[in-house]
Amino acid sequence: MTAPYDVITMGRIGVDLYPLRTGVPLAQVDTFGKFLGGSATNVAVASARLGRRVAVITRTGRDAFGDYLHQALREFEVDDRWVTAVDRYPTPVTFCEVFPPDDFPLYFYRLPKAPDLEIHQRELDLDAIGAARIFWMTGTGLCAEPSRTATLAALESRAGSGITVFDLDWRPMFWPTDTEGRFSGADPRELYGRALRHATVAVGNLDECEVAVGERDPEAAARALLAAGVELAVVKQGPKGVLAVHRDGTRAEVPPVPVEVVNGLGAGDAFGGALCHGLLAGWELEHIMRYANAAGAIVAARLACSSAMPYEHEVAEVLAGGPVPAQDPLPGPRPDAAPTAAPTAPSAPGASTTAPSATPTPGGPS
């Protein structure tokens, strides 16, 4: 019998096209780099880079970009068995502009509909999802059918087993609206509430917490998330760092790691993968937050998202007081991972999904 996955993520995938020159408007950019993207997919890559056995549930178009994404997932050692093709929709593409330290406009091309919103309940391996040590889902998966029903079914299949993480991941442009800009059809707050009842961990920034539970104050948001059903609330506060509060009364609030931001868009996904790694390792809450912050800071210092995800030795070096490495790690199999026990070196202040004077978009670009 195959051992359960450490982490299964479910949600967006696409191709990120990033300008290879920073500080230049998109209209003037003439060279781009092509990268694997999508929040849930980036979290899977980040977890795999830290030595975890990982799979992702998502869908692509039946096109050359879809072929590329399968290739990239395999190179990142993420199992792609549940990444299937949709005939009638193209693989999404996302462009960004890069104006460090805190301006990274995004341009999503997900019309007429993104294939990753065509995940059907009947296609899910609910036994594998239920057995995974961590299942990670996102708010975007709730924005449209059939993804909405499939995501809620996946949550229900967990039945209180393992760790279930709800990445609040609020992207209002993906939710249908009427001519006056009001959300039409499903109510995001109601759907977020349903998902929170099945989750054990909630992760989000202040805007996302306000959508989910109506609170922007970090302490109030954490309390509201716990009241909604989770055991651990992780509230990202931008340049103020991150607040984590557990139902048992344990709490941690840690500041950012100082970093010269190159592109903040993937920092939240690195944070997510590192959060999964720390939860699986059984570390104390404060150490998990510092570790996840350090991972986010490393990616904020790099141009890409997926290929920028750090290896364990890189995070350990930052925690030990070393510099934040700016160069993307070399592609290919990961180097020998360090033991998953908490490092004995003293921890330096961690970075949340943001760095001083920067506000990277939590949750990844696409």
Side-chain angles (χ1 to χ4, degrees):
M1 181 177 178
T2 304
Y5 287 89
D6 291 324
V7 181
I8 295 178
T9 70
M10 180 175 176
R12 292 199 307 277
I13 194 170
V15 175
D16 289 343
L17 294 175
Y18 284 1
L20 298 182
R21 297 168 59 199
T22 63
V24 178
L26 198 59
Q28 299 176 17
V29 175
D30 54 8
T31 55
F32 295 86
K34 180 180 67 177
F35 304 97
L36 171 75
S39 177
T41 305
N42 282 337
V43 171
V45 171
S47 301
R49 276 273 170 93
L50 295 173
R52 297 299 177 176
R53 182 169 178 261
V54 183
V56 60
I57 302 168
T58 190
R59 304 196 73 180
T60 71
R62 195 179 299 277
D63 50 30
F65 276 150
D67 294 340
Y68 161 71
L69 294 176
H70 278 280
Q71 174 186 324
L73 286 168
R74 293 165 187 161
E75 290 175 352
F76 286 127
E77 301 185 19
V78 174
D79 195 325
D80 65 345
R81 68 181 63 194
W82 296 309
V83 181
T84 57
V86 176
D87 290 323
R88 62 187 180 277
Y89 298 131
T91 300
V93 175
T94 302
F95 291 87
C96 79
E97 292 177 309
V98 181
F99 295 101
D102 59 1
D103 187 17
F104 307 100
L106 286 167
Y107 303 86
F108 293 97
Y109 291 82
R110 292 170 59 88
L111 296 174
K113 187 179 184 182
D116 54 55
L117 295 177
E118 282 290 296
I119 301 171
H120 291 262
Q121 179 179 351
R122 65 177 182 272
E123 299 166 336
L124 299 178
D125 186 338
L126 294 178
D127 289 337
I129 293 171
R133 299 176 68 193
I134 289 181
F135 176 63
W136 178 288
M137 48 74 63
T138 75
T140 295
L142 301 173
C143 76
E145 293 288 8
S147 173
R148 177 184 305 136
T149 294
T151 300
L152 293 172
L155 286 171
E156 292 169 3
S157 75
R158 299 286 289 166
S161 63
I163 300 167
T164 302
V165 184
F166 181 8
D167 176 1
L168 301 181
D169 183 44
W170 174 242
R171 305 283 181 168
M173 70 287 290
F174 298 158
W175 291 75
T177 56
D178 61 22
T179 56
E180 297 181 0
R182 296 172 300 194
F183 294 113
S184 57
D187 176 12
R189 176 74 59 82
E190 189 273 332
L191 289 168
Y192 271 56
R194 288 176 62 184
L196 285 169
R197 289 194 288 272
H198 294 286
T200 60
V201 180
V203 184
N205 62 23
L206 298 179
D207 291 338
E208 293 165 336
C209 290
E210 184 174 24
V211 171
V213 292
E215 299 285 355
R216 285 191 62 84
D217 174 78
E219 294 283 351
R223 290 194 300 269
L225 289 169
L226 295 176
V230 303
E231 298 175 6
L232 174 63
V234 180
V235 180
K236 302 172 182 178
Q237 305 177 81
K240 294 183 179 179
V242 62
L243 169 68
V245 182
H246 195 279
R247 183 182 297 278
D248 66 9
T250 307
R251 57 180 289 120
E253 187 168 12
V254 297
V257 167
V259 60
E260 184 174 345
V261 173
V262 174
N263 183 359
L265 292 175
D269 300 329
F271 181 99
L275 171 66
C276 290
H277 182 59
L279 290 170
L280 290 172
W283 294 339
E284 292 183 354
L285 186 58
E286 182 173 344
H287 181 70
I288 294 174
M289 293 301 106
R290 292 188 181 278
Y291 190 95
N293 281 352
I298 291 171
V299 173
R302 296 168 170 173
L303 176 63
C305 288
S306 54
S307 63
M309 297 301 167
Y311 290 106
E312 195 166 10
H313 72 276
E314 295 180 296
V315 183
E317 289 169 3
V318 172
L319 286 176
V324 175
Q327 185 173 358
D328 285 7
L330 295 175
R334 60 179 179 266
D336 292 338
T340 56
T344 55
S347 296
S352 69
T353 57
T354 62
S357 75
T359 310
T361 304
S366 57

